[in-house]
């Protein structure tokens, strides 16, 4: 019998699905010995080496989860069963990819991970309907795995609930139950208000809890100096003690001139009290 599976879905892209998945994985590992993870349908992928040294491609979020949380019991080969690269949709429409093969890959991957885990966490891609064109939407993938859903939306009440309801209906159509909601990027001064009103609304309409309200903190969307160093594949020349600090566009300069000219202009443009 497959282990309980939690499917993290979102009302649209970039609302915090991966952030919630990271938080859930951290919490689940404190309660269970072995937590499995997979992303049944992925879009952005990268090459990795599996346990035998063979190269394969997996969704980028799969690598983060496996490496950061040390999911040694979960094989890469089962963590990203369906990847949709450029041109995949056309191949599917032309009959070069079969729906049966996709569904079999998802079920097989889930069975493999479930058999070696106490609980399984699955992350969706985009909004709930993503993947419908190739007949493996998030809702259908969750149904195939017998999963129950945590639905993530951006903060607010009216617009947030409208988006939540639309996505919940897609899950309901596939017989999948939404068990809770997380609101992300809520204005800090509205957190308690939103928690109270949306919490009551969800209990009244859906009979499910509001699991969390995450305030919007601007620095979280800004990379640290260390992250910029890794992304640019460069070496930091100075300011090593600032590696953990977050920097936004307003704190950054793109140097397209000679270094001396840049330093002179930067010195001339500095604000009073700086330097």
């Amino acid at each position: 019998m497959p282990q309980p599976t939690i499917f993290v879905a979102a009302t649209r892209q970039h609302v915090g699905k991966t952030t919630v998945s990271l938080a859930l994985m951290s919490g689940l590992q404190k309660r269970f010995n072995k937590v499995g993870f997979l992303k049944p349908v992925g879009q952005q992928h990268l090459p990795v080496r599996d346990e035998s040294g063979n190269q394969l491609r997996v969704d980028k979020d799969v690598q983060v989860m496996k490496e950061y949380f040390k999911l040694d019991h979960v094989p890469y080969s089962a963590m990203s069963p369906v990847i949709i690269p450029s041109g995949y949709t056309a191949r599917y429409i032309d009959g070069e990819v079969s729906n049966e093969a996709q569904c079999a890959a998802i079920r097989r991957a889930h069975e493999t991970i479930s058999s070696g885990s106490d609980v399984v966490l699955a992350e969706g891609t985009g909004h709930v309907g993503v993947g419908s064109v190739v007949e493996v939407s998030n809702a259908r993938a969750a149904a195939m795995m017998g999963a129950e859903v945590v639905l993530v939306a951006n903060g607010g009440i009216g617009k947030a609930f409208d988006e939540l309801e639309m996505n919940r209906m897609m899950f309901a159509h596939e017989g999948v139950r939404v068990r809770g909601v997380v609101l992300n990027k809520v204005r800090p001064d509205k957190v308690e208000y939103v928690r109270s009103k949306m919490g009551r609304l969800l209990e009244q309409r859906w009979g499910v809890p509001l699991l969390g309200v995450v305030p919007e903190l601007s620095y979280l969307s800004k990379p640290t100096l260390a992250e910029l160093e890794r992304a640019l594949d460069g070496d930091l020349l100075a300011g090593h003690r600032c590696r953990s600090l977050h920097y936004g566009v307003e704190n950054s300069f793109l140097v397209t001139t000679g270094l001396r000219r840049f330093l002179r202009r930067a010195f001339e443009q500095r604000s009073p009290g700086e330097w």
Side-chain angles (χ1 to χ4, degrees):
M1 183 176 179
Q3 299 292 3
T5 300
I6 303 168
F7 191 99
V8 181
T11 55
R12 49 195 167 95
Q13 197 175 23
H14 304 311
V15 302
K17 185 169 59 271
T18 300
T19 300
V20 171
S21 295
L22 289 165
L24 285 175
M25 176 61 75
S26 178
L28 288 169
Q29 284 193 329
K30 293 178 176 67
R31 293 166 175 79
F32 297 92
N33 184 33
K34 291 184 177 180
V35 183
F37 178 83
L38 78 158
K39 190 156 183 173
V41 180
Q43 299 180 80
Q44 300 179 27
H45 49 91
L46 45 75
V48 297
R49 295 282 180 183
D50 67 11
E51 295 73 18
S52 302
N54 301 313
Q55 183 171 294
L56 69 160
R57 301 192 75 84
V58 299
D59 187 272
K60 61 181 180 59
D61 295 327
V62 161
Q63 185 193 39
V64 172
M65 286 289 187
K66 181 171 174 62
E67 301 301 329
Y68 185 81
F69 290 104
K70 297 178 173 55
L71 305 180
D72 298 330
H73 68 290
V74 183
Y76 261 134
S77 58
M79 298 181 76
S80 200
V82 175
I83 292 176
I84 305 179
S86 176
Y88 187 93
T89 299
R91 290 174 53 220
Y92 185 86
I93 294 171
D94 292 339
E96 297 176 26
V97 180
S98 75
N99 184 48
E100 291 76 15
Q102 293 180 141
C103 295
I106 292 173
R107 290 193 180 97
R108 186 167 55 249
H110 181 247
E111 289 170 4
T112 297
I113 294 173
S114 180
S115 65
S117 305
D118 302 312
V119 65
V120 178
L121 180 66
E123 182 182 340
T125 182
H127 59 74
V128 177
V130 168
S132 295
V133 68
V134 294
E135 300 181 273
V136 282
S137 68
N138 286 276
R140 191 172 186 197
M144 282 189 280
M145 297 186 295
E148 294 187 318
V149 174
V150 172
L151 196 50
V152 185
N154 274 351
I157 297 177
K159 182 180 179 181
F161 187 82
D162 292 345
E163 292 180 351
L164 286 165
E165 177 66 13
M166 180 173 62
N167 284 270
R168 183 187 72 89
M169 291 303 294
M170 290 198 69
F171 280 121
H173 180 72
E174 296 288 348
V176 177
R177 184 180 177 188
V178 174
R179 293 297 300 269
V181 169
V182 174
L183 292 182
N184 190 32
K185 300 180 182 178
V186 177
R187 279 176 45 184
D189 61 320
K190 294 288 186 179
V191 166
E192 293 307 319
Y193 178 80
V194 169
R195 192 194 310 275
S196 172
K197 300 300 182 185
M198 182 63 87
R200 189 184 314 166
L201 184 60
L202 289 171
E203 288 285 357
Q204 291 175 347
R205 301 285 180 86
W206 298 1
V208 304
L210 177 61
L211 300 173
V213 179
V214 183
E216 183 173 25
L217 303 175
S218 60
Y219 80 88
L220 291 178
S221 63
K222 298 176 181 179
T224 64
L225 197 56
E227 289 169 336
L228 289 172
E229 185 181 17
R230 287 195 298 270
L232 296 172
D233 193 23
D235 295 315
L236 196 61
L237 299 178
H240 297 86
R241 62 186 177 82
C242 299
R243 269 199 172 104
S244 62
L245 301 182
H246 294 255
Y247 292 85
V249 175
E250 68 278 6
N251 306 121
S252 306
F253 292 93
L254 177 62
V255 182
T256 58
T257 65
L259 181 58
R260 289 186 179 181
R261 180 178 295 180
F262 165 74
L263 290 174
R264 184 170 63 251
R265 290 184 60 188
F267 183 80
E268 292 170 351
Q269 294 175 9
R270 74 190 189 285
S271 300
E274 292 185 335
W275 298 42

PDB file of all heavy atoms in Angstrom, residues 165-191:
ATOM      1  N   GLU A 165     -10.391  29.040  -5.422  1.00  0.00           N
ATOM      2  CA  GLU A 165     -11.602  28.296  -5.779  1.00  0.00           C
ATOM      3  C   GLU A 165     -11.502  27.704  -7.180  1.00  0.00           C
ATOM      4  O   GLU A 165     -11.875  26.544  -7.408  1.00  0.00           O
ATOM      5  CB  GLU A 165     -12.822  29.211  -5.671  1.00  0.00           C
ATOM      6  CG  GLU A 165     -14.142  28.568  -6.089  1.00  0.00           C
ATOM      7  CD  GLU A 165     -14.572  27.429  -5.174  1.00  0.00           C
ATOM      8  OE1 GLU A 165     -14.002  27.277  -4.070  1.00  0.00           O
ATOM      9  OE2 GLU A 165     -15.494  26.686  -5.561  1.00  0.00           O
ATOM     10  N   MET A 166     -10.989  28.481  -8.114  1.00  0.00           N
ATOM     11  CA  MET A 166     -10.853  27.995  -9.488  1.00  0.00           C
ATOM     12  C   MET A 166      -9.922  26.776  -9.540  1.00  0.00           C
ATOM     13  O   MET A 166     -10.212  25.780 -10.209  1.00  0.00           O
ATOM     14  CB  MET A 166     -10.314  29.099 -10.392  1.00  0.00           C
ATOM     15  CG  MET A 166     -10.144  28.699 -11.849  1.00  0.00           C
ATOM     16  SD  MET A 166      -9.698  30.097 -12.897  1.00  0.00           S
ATOM     17  CE  MET A 166      -8.116  30.575 -12.164  1.00  0.00           C
ATOM     18  N   ASN A 167      -8.815  26.848  -8.829  1.00  0.00           N
ATOM     19  CA  ASN A 167      -7.871  25.737  -8.836  1.00  0.00           C
ATOM     20  C   ASN A 167      -8.389  24.541  -8.038  1.00  0.00           C
ATOM     21  O   ASN A 167      -8.144  23.387  -8.397  1.00  0.00           O
ATOM     22  CB  ASN A 167      -6.517  26.207  -8.293  1.00  0.00           C
ATOM     23  CG  ASN A 167      -5.740  27.033  -9.293  1.00  0.00           C
ATOM     24  OD1 ASN A 167      -4.967  26.523 -10.091  1.00  0.00           O
ATOM     25  ND2 ASN A 167      -5.951  28.347  -9.289  1.00  0.00           N
ATOM     26  N   ARG A 168      -9.120  24.820  -6.957  1.00  0.00           N
ATOM     27  CA  ARG A 168      -9.704  23.721  -6.177  1.00  0.00           C
ATOM     28  C   ARG A 168     -10.681  22.910  -7.023  1.00  0.00           C
ATOM     29  O   ARG A 168     -10.738  21.675  -6.913  1.00  0.00           O
ATOM     30  CB  ARG A 168     -10.430  24.276  -4.951  1.00  0.00           C
ATOM     31  CG  ARG A 168     -11.006  23.187  -4.038  1.00  0.00           C
ATOM     32  CD  ARG A 168     -11.850  23.776  -2.942  1.00  0.00           C
ATOM     33  NE  ARG A 168     -13.116  24.284  -3.450  1.00  0.00           N
ATOM     34  CZ  ARG A 168     -14.234  23.561  -3.568  1.00  0.00           C
ATOM     35  NH1 ARG A 168     -14.232  22.277  -3.217  1.00  0.00           N
ATOM     36  NH2 ARG A 168     -15.348  24.104  -4.030  1.00  0.00           N
ATOM     37  N   MET A 169     -11.438  23.589  -7.892  1.00  0.00           N
ATOM     38  CA  MET A 169     -12.407  22.891  -8.725  1.00  0.00           C
ATOM     39  C   MET A 169     -11.738  21.925  -9.691  1.00  0.00           C
ATOM     40  O   MET A 169     -12.293  20.869 -10.018  1.00  0.00           O
ATOM     41  CB  MET A 169     -13.263  23.904  -9.481  1.00  0.00           C
ATOM     42  CG  MET A 169     -14.212  24.713  -8.596  1.00  0.00           C
ATOM     43  SD  MET A 169     -15.338  23.649  -7.639  1.00  0.00           S
ATOM     44  CE  MET A 169     -16.318  22.940  -8.971  1.00  0.00           C
ATOM     45  N   MET A 170     -10.550  22.259 -10.151  1.00  0.00           N
ATOM     46  CA  MET A 170      -9.827  21.342 -11.034  1.00  0.00           C
ATOM     47  C   MET A 170      -9.431  20.078 -10.276  1.00  0.00           C
ATOM     48  O   MET A 170      -9.505  18.974 -10.807  1.00  0.00           O
ATOM     49  CB  MET A 170      -8.589  22.016 -11.615  1.00  0.00           C
ATOM     50  CG  MET A 170      -8.897  23.101 -12.627  1.00  0.00           C
ATOM     51  SD  MET A 170      -7.465  23.516 -13.651  1.00  0.00           S
ATOM     52  CE  MET A 170      -7.305  22.023 -14.630  1.00  0.00           C
ATOM     53  N   PHE A 171      -9.022  20.233  -9.023  1.00  0.00           N
ATOM     54  CA  PHE A 171      -8.718  19.062  -8.212  1.00  0.00           C
ATOM     55  C   PHE A 171      -9.980  18.255  -7.943  1.00  0.00           C
ATOM     56  O   PHE A 171      -9.965  17.018  -8.005  1.00  0.00           O
ATOM     57  CB  PHE A 171      -8.069  19.484  -6.891  1.00  0.00           C
ATOM     58  CG  PHE A 171      -6.610  19.790  -6.990  1.00  0.00           C
ATOM     59  CD1 PHE A 171      -6.120  21.039  -6.641  1.00  0.00           C
ATOM     60  CD2 PHE A 171      -5.712  18.821  -7.435  1.00  0.00           C
ATOM     61  CE1 PHE A 171      -4.760  21.315  -6.732  1.00  0.00           C
ATOM     62  CE2 PHE A 171      -4.359  19.098  -7.519  1.00  0.00           C
ATOM     63  CZ  PHE A 171      -3.879  20.342  -7.177  1.00  0.00           C
ATOM     64  N   ALA A 172     -11.075  18.937  -7.634  1.00  0.00           N
ATOM     65  CA  ALA A 172     -12.334  18.241  -7.359  1.00  0.00           C
ATOM     66  C   ALA A 172     -12.779  17.424  -8.564  1.00  0.00           C
ATOM     67  O   ALA A 172     -13.323  16.319  -8.419  1.00  0.00           O
ATOM     68  CB  ALA A 172     -13.407  19.254  -6.967  1.00  0.00           C
ATOM     69  N   HIS A 173     -12.561  17.955  -9.745  1.00  0.00           N
ATOM     70  CA  HIS A 173     -12.942  17.247 -10.976  1.00  0.00           C
ATOM     71  C   HIS A 173     -12.207  15.913 -11.097  1.00  0.00           C
ATOM     72  O   HIS A 173     -12.730  14.945 -11.651  1.00  0.00           O
ATOM     73  CB  HIS A 173     -12.631  18.130 -12.186  1.00  0.00           C
ATOM     74  CG  HIS A 173     -12.976  17.487 -13.498  1.00  0.00           C
ATOM     75  ND1 HIS A 173     -14.279  17.303 -13.914  1.00  0.00           N
ATOM     76  CD2 HIS A 173     -12.173  16.976 -14.486  1.00  0.00           C
ATOM     77  CE1 HIS A 173     -14.279  16.710 -15.106  1.00  0.00           C
ATOM     78  NE2 HIS A 173     -13.024  16.501 -15.471  1.00  0.00           N
ATOM     79  N   GLU A 174     -10.974  15.848 -10.546  1.00  0.00           N
ATOM     80  CA  GLU A 174     -10.191  14.612 -10.597  1.00  0.00           C
ATOM     81  C   GLU A 174     -10.344  13.783  -9.327  1.00  0.00           C
ATOM     82  O   GLU A 174      -9.678  12.757  -9.154  1.00  0.00           O
ATOM     83  CB  GLU A 174      -8.709  14.942 -10.808  1.00  0.00           C
ATOM     84  CG  GLU A 174      -8.390  15.606 -12.134  1.00  0.00           C
ATOM     85  CD  GLU A 174      -8.495  14.649 -13.318  1.00  0.00           C
ATOM     86  OE1 GLU A 174      -8.590  13.409 -13.083  1.00  0.00           O
ATOM     87  OE2 GLU A 174      -8.498  15.118 -14.463  1.00  0.00           O
ATOM     88  N   GLY A 175     -11.230  14.234  -8.416  1.00  0.00           N
ATOM     89  CA  GLY A 175     -11.457  13.488  -7.186  1.00  0.00           C
ATOM     90  C   GLY A 175     -10.370  13.660  -6.144  1.00  0.00           C
ATOM     91  O   GLY A 175     -10.193  12.805  -5.277  1.00  0.00           O
ATOM     92  N   VAL A 176      -9.646  14.776  -6.208  1.00  0.00           N
ATOM     93  CA  VAL A 176      -8.547  15.036  -5.280  1.00  0.00           C
ATOM     94  C   VAL A 176      -8.996  16.057  -4.237  1.00  0.00           C
ATOM     95  O   VAL A 176      -9.600  17.081  -4.584  1.00  0.00           O
ATOM     96  CB  VAL A 176      -7.305  15.557  -6.033  1.00  0.00           C
ATOM     97  CG1 VAL A 176      -6.189  15.892  -5.041  1.00  0.00           C
ATOM     98  CG2 VAL A 176      -6.830  14.532  -7.044  1.00  0.00           C
ATOM     99  N   ARG A 177      -8.660  15.811  -2.998  1.00  0.00           N
ATOM    100  CA  ARG A 177      -9.098  16.683  -1.907  1.00  0.00           C
ATOM    101  C   ARG A 177      -8.018  17.679  -1.513  1.00  0.00           C
ATOM    102  O   ARG A 177      -6.865  17.309  -1.325  1.00  0.00           O
ATOM    103  CB  ARG A 177      -9.461  15.833  -0.686  1.00  0.00           C
ATOM    104  CG  ARG A 177     -10.017  16.651   0.477  1.00  0.00           C
ATOM    105  CD  ARG A 177     -10.345  15.759   1.651  1.00  0.00           C
ATOM    106  NE  ARG A 177     -10.805  16.537   2.798  1.00  0.00           N
ATOM    107  CZ  ARG A 177     -11.014  16.024   4.005  1.00  0.00           C
ATOM    108  NH1 ARG A 177     -10.808  14.734   4.223  1.00  0.00           N
ATOM    109  NH2 ARG A 177     -11.420  16.792   5.001  1.00  0.00           N
ATOM    110  N   VAL A 178      -8.390  18.945  -1.403  1.00  0.00           N
ATOM    111  CA  VAL A 178      -7.503  19.980  -0.855  1.00  0.00           C
ATOM    112  C   VAL A 178      -7.650  19.944   0.663  1.00  0.00           C
ATOM    113  O   VAL A 178      -8.744  20.081   1.191  1.00  0.00           O
ATOM    114  CB  VAL A 178      -7.866  21.377  -1.402  1.00  0.00           C
ATOM    115  CG1 VAL A 178      -7.030  22.449  -0.703  1.00  0.00           C
ATOM    116  CG2 VAL A 178      -7.644  21.438  -2.904  1.00  0.00           C
ATOM    117  N   ARG A 179      -6.524  19.772   1.367  1.00  0.00           N
ATOM    118  CA  ARG A 179      -6.571  19.627   2.815  1.00  0.00           C
ATOM    119  C   ARG A 179      -6.180  20.879   3.575  1.00  0.00           C
ATOM    120  O   ARG A 179      -6.372  20.965   4.788  1.00  0.00           O
ATOM    121  CB  ARG A 179      -5.656  18.476   3.250  1.00  0.00           C
ATOM    122  CG  ARG A 179      -6.138  17.119   2.801  1.00  0.00           C
ATOM    123  CD  ARG A 179      -7.485  16.764   3.406  1.00  0.00           C
ATOM    124  NE  ARG A 179      -7.441  16.746   4.846  1.00  0.00           N
ATOM    125  CZ  ARG A 179      -7.173  15.660   5.569  1.00  0.00           C
ATOM    126  NH1 ARG A 179      -6.934  14.507   4.968  1.00  0.00           N
ATOM    127  NH2 ARG A 179      -7.154  15.717   6.872  1.00  0.00           N
ATOM    128  N   GLY A 180      -5.616  21.875   2.882  1.00  0.00           N
ATOM    129  CA  GLY A 180      -5.225  23.101   3.560  1.00  0.00           C
ATOM    130  C   GLY A 180      -4.651  24.107   2.588  1.00  0.00           C
ATOM    131  O   GLY A 180      -4.346  23.790   1.437  1.00  0.00           O
ATOM    132  N   VAL A 181      -4.518  25.352   3.054  1.00  0.00           N
ATOM    133  CA  VAL A 181      -4.073  26.466   2.216  1.00  0.00           C
ATOM    134  C   VAL A 181      -2.968  27.230   2.926  1.00  0.00           C
ATOM    135  O   VAL A 181      -3.000  27.406   4.149  1.00  0.00           O
ATOM    136  CB  VAL A 181      -5.249  27.421   1.896  1.00  0.00           C
ATOM    137  CG1 VAL A 181      -4.766  28.714   1.248  1.00  0.00           C
ATOM    138  CG2 VAL A 181      -6.273  26.719   1.003  1.00  0.00           C
ATOM    139  N   VAL A 182      -1.997  27.687   2.137  1.00  0.00           N
ATOM    140  CA  VAL A 182      -0.953  28.578   2.632  1.00  0.00           C
ATOM    141  C   VAL A 182      -0.995  29.850   1.796  1.00  0.00           C
ATOM    142  O   VAL A 182      -1.021  29.788   0.563  1.00  0.00           O
ATOM    143  CB  VAL A 182       0.453  27.952   2.522  1.00  0.00           C
ATOM    144  CG1 VAL A 182       1.526  28.969   2.908  1.00  0.00           C
ATOM    145  CG2 VAL A 182       0.557  26.711   3.395  1.00  0.00           C
ATOM    146  N   LEU A 183      -1.031  30.998   2.464  1.00  0.00           N
ATOM    147  CA  LEU A 183      -0.986  32.281   1.764  1.00  0.00           C
ATOM    148  C   LEU A 183       0.413  32.867   1.895  1.00  0.00           C
ATOM    149  O   LEU A 183       0.943  32.993   3.003  1.00  0.00           O
ATOM    150  CB  LEU A 183      -2.018  33.260   2.341  1.00  0.00           C
ATOM    151  CG  LEU A 183      -3.488  32.921   2.101  1.00  0.00           C
ATOM    152  CD1 LEU A 183      -4.372  34.011   2.704  1.00  0.00           C
ATOM    153  CD2 LEU A 183      -3.792  32.775   0.620  1.00  0.00           C
ATOM    154  N   ASN A 184       0.996  33.236   0.780  1.00  0.00           N
ATOM    155  CA  ASN A 184       2.352  33.758   0.763  1.00  0.00           C
ATOM    156  C   ASN A 184       2.347  35.218   0.309  1.00  0.00           C
ATOM    157  O   ASN A 184       1.414  35.676  -0.348  1.00  0.00           O
ATOM    158  CB  ASN A 184       3.209  32.907  -0.187  1.00  0.00           C
ATOM    159  CG  ASN A 184       4.680  33.219  -0.086  1.00  0.00           C
ATOM    160  OD1 ASN A 184       5.181  33.574   0.984  1.00  0.00           O
ATOM    161  ND2 ASN A 184       5.398  33.102  -1.198  1.00  0.00           N
ATOM    162  N   LYS A 185       3.407  35.939   0.663  1.00  0.00           N
ATOM    163  CA  LYS A 185       3.598  37.325   0.244  1.00  0.00           C
ATOM    164  C   LYS A 185       2.448  38.228   0.683  1.00  0.00           C
ATOM    165  O   LYS A 185       1.910  39.039  -0.082  1.00  0.00           O
ATOM    166  CB  LYS A 185       3.770  37.415  -1.279  1.00  0.00           C
ATOM    167  CG  LYS A 185       4.961  36.627  -1.801  1.00  0.00           C
ATOM    168  CD  LYS A 185       5.101  36.742  -3.307  1.00  0.00           C
ATOM    169  CE  LYS A 185       6.262  35.922  -3.816  1.00  0.00           C
ATOM    170  NZ  LYS A 185       6.398  35.985  -5.288  1.00  0.00           N
ATOM    171  N   VAL A 186       2.058  38.095   1.934  1.00  0.00           N
ATOM    172  CA  VAL A 186       1.007  38.938   2.514  1.00  0.00           C
ATOM    173  C   VAL A 186       1.656  40.194   3.098  1.00  0.00           C
ATOM    174  O   VAL A 186       2.715  40.121   3.734  1.00  0.00           O
ATOM    175  CB  VAL A 186       0.245  38.182   3.613  1.00  0.00           C
ATOM    176  CG1 VAL A 186      -0.798  39.075   4.273  1.00  0.00           C
ATOM    177  CG2 VAL A 186      -0.405  36.933   3.035  1.00  0.00           C
ATOM    178  N   ARG A 187       1.033  41.346   2.881  1.00  0.00           N
ATOM    179  CA  ARG A 187       1.556  42.584   3.457  1.00  0.00           C
ATOM    180  C   ARG A 187       1.725  42.425   4.967  1.00  0.00           C
ATOM    181  O   ARG A 187       0.801  41.972   5.653  1.00  0.00           O
ATOM    182  CB  ARG A 187       0.604  43.745   3.169  1.00  0.00           C
ATOM    183  CG  ARG A 187       0.737  44.352   1.798  1.00  0.00           C
ATOM    184  CD  ARG A 187      -0.302  45.421   1.555  1.00  0.00           C
ATOM    185  NE  ARG A 187      -0.454  46.349   2.690  1.00  0.00           N
ATOM    186  CZ  ARG A 187      -1.357  47.324   2.749  1.00  0.00           C
ATOM    187  NH1 ARG A 187      -2.211  47.493   1.731  1.00  0.00           N
ATOM    188  NH2 ARG A 187      -1.418  48.125   3.795  1.00  0.00           N
ATOM    189  N   PRO A 188       2.894  42.769   5.491  1.00  0.00           N
ATOM    190  CA  PRO A 188       3.147  42.557   6.926  1.00  0.00           C
ATOM    191  C   PRO A 188       2.095  43.170   7.839  1.00  0.00           C
ATOM    192  O   PRO A 188       1.740  42.583   8.868  1.00  0.00           O
ATOM    193  CB  PRO A 188       4.520  43.211   7.131  1.00  0.00           C
ATOM    194  CG  PRO A 188       5.201  43.083   5.812  1.00  0.00           C
ATOM    195  CD  PRO A 188       4.096  43.269   4.787  1.00  0.00           C
ATOM    196  N   ASP A 189       1.567  44.337   7.461  1.00  0.00           N
ATOM    197  CA  ASP A 189       0.579  44.988   8.314  1.00  0.00           C
ATOM    198  C   ASP A 189      -0.812  44.368   8.188  1.00  0.00           C
ATOM    199  O   ASP A 189      -1.725  44.733   8.920  1.00  0.00           O
ATOM    200  CB  ASP A 189       0.507  46.488   7.993  1.00  0.00           C
ATOM    201  CG  ASP A 189       0.089  46.755   6.554  1.00  0.00           C
ATOM    202  OD1 ASP A 189       0.556  46.021   5.649  1.00  0.00           O
ATOM    203  OD2 ASP A 189      -0.713  47.675   6.321  1.00  0.00           O
ATOM    204  N   LYS A 190      -0.971  43.400   7.254  1.00  0.00           N
ATOM    205  CA  LYS A 190      -2.268  42.758   7.039  1.00  0.00           C
ATOM    206  C   LYS A 190      -2.273  41.289   7.449  1.00  0.00           C
ATOM    207  O   LYS A 190      -3.281  40.598   7.261  1.00  0.00           O
ATOM    208  CB  LYS A 190      -2.658  42.858   5.557  1.00  0.00           C
ATOM    209  CG  LYS A 190      -2.921  44.271   5.065  1.00  0.00           C
ATOM    210  CD  LYS A 190      -4.223  44.820   5.624  1.00  0.00           C
ATOM    211  CE  LYS A 190      -4.572  46.179   5.020  1.00  0.00           C
ATOM    212  NZ  LYS A 190      -5.855  46.694   5.570  1.00  0.00           N
ATOM    213  N   VAL A 191      -1.165  40.799   7.986  1.00  0.00           N
ATOM    214  CA  VAL A 191      -1.044  39.373   8.273  1.00  0.00           C
ATOM    215  C   VAL A 191      -2.150  38.877   9.202  1.00  0.00           C
ATOM    216  O   VAL A 191      -2.835  37.889   8.907  1.00  0.00           O
ATOM    217  CB  VAL A 191       0.342  39.052   8.875  1.00  0.00           C
ATOM    218  CG1 VAL A 191       0.356  37.649   9.485  1.00  0.00           C
ATOM    219  CG2 VAL A 191       1.419  39.157   7.803  1.00  0.00           C
TER     220      VAL A 191
END
